[in-house]
Amino acid sequence: MKNKSVKLFAIIVFIFTVLFSFSGCKACARTQWKQVYDAYTNKTERFVFQTFNATITQKTFAEIKTEFKILIDSDDFFEKYKDYPNAQAAVTAYQRQRFYFVDESIVILEESGFFDDINEDTVITFTTNDYIGWDGWRYPVFAVDINGKTYLDFETGYTNVINFVKEKINNP
């Protein structure tokens, strides 16, 4: 009888541990998204919006609709941000990390013909920032231009990213 009681107790403890672990993960995710929201809306001095030229390195462009890697025109970046502390580290970080478009921005980019107008050699001007929310973070794209044609303007892209973050806070 004692053996059954110990097993039952162990099972109950296991179930509660699993349940609390999942609810804790959701709370952590919500906290992380709140920090991102706070940084984007209240503490913009903590990061710098940067605009630079780059090419997308994926071979299939269907992949870039969610996230993508880039190859930065480092001469362009260094010319624009020569006074930016650790400019070389920023270029390295940008080239290692992934960038992403939020869903609302993807719709605008599709309607504007962005995905039809690019290929492997297209030099694209991106606006992003140097803020990392946490490990595994991808840099959001706030604006996109090709040869002076605006596919996603900054105000719209910024609003879309803020709406995306708010949604993640409400539904982590």
Side-chain angles (χ1 to χ4, degrees), residues 18-92:
V18 169
L19 289 174
F20 285 122
S21 295
F22 285 125
S23 65
C25 291
K26 205 170 195 175
C28 289
R30 183 173 285 123
T31 300
Q32 289 174 330
W33 283 111
K34 284 181 179 178
Q35 289 171 346
V36 170
Y37 179 81
D38 185 50
Y40 283 169
T41 57
N42 298 326
K43 298 181 181 171
T44 54
E45 73 279 356
R46 288 178 48 193
F47 62 89
V48 178
F49 286 105
Q50 296 173 324
T51 301
F52 50 83
N53 295 331
T55 53
I56 295 176
T57 60
Q58 267 91 338
K59 299 297 181 205
T60 60
F61 294 102
E63 294 173 359
I64 70 168
K65 289 187 180 179
T66 52
E67 64 179 54
F68 55 93
K69 290 191 134 201
I70 63 171
L71 181 61
I72 291 180
D73 177 343
S74 54
D75 291 337
D76 170 67
F77 188 90
F78 293 136
E79 183 179 319
K80 289 178 182 172
Y81 300 104
K82 59 183 169 253
D83 296 330
Y84 181 73
N86 302 315
Q88 181 60 53
V91 168
T92 302

Side-chain angles (χ1 to χ4, degrees), residues 103-159:
D103 291 344
E104 292 174 352
S105 294
I106 290 171
V107 170
I108 293 167
L109 292 168
E110 285 176 335
E111 290 172 354
S112 67
F114 172 76
F115 296 106
D116 297 325
D117 291 349
I118 61 172
N119 61 46
E120 292 176 20
D121 301 323
T122 305
V123 176
I124 303 167
T125 304
F126 291 105
T127 301
T128 190
N129 65 40
D130 63 350
Y131 176 75
I132 296 285
W134 57 84
D135 288 346
W137 179 254
R138 299 163 297 157
Y139 293 106
V141 176
F142 296 99
V144 179
D145 272 45
I146 299 175
N147 294 325
K149 179 180 177 184
T150 300
Y151 292 85
L152 177 66
D153 67 89
F154 179 81
E155 290 301 319
T156 303
Y158 179 80
T159 300

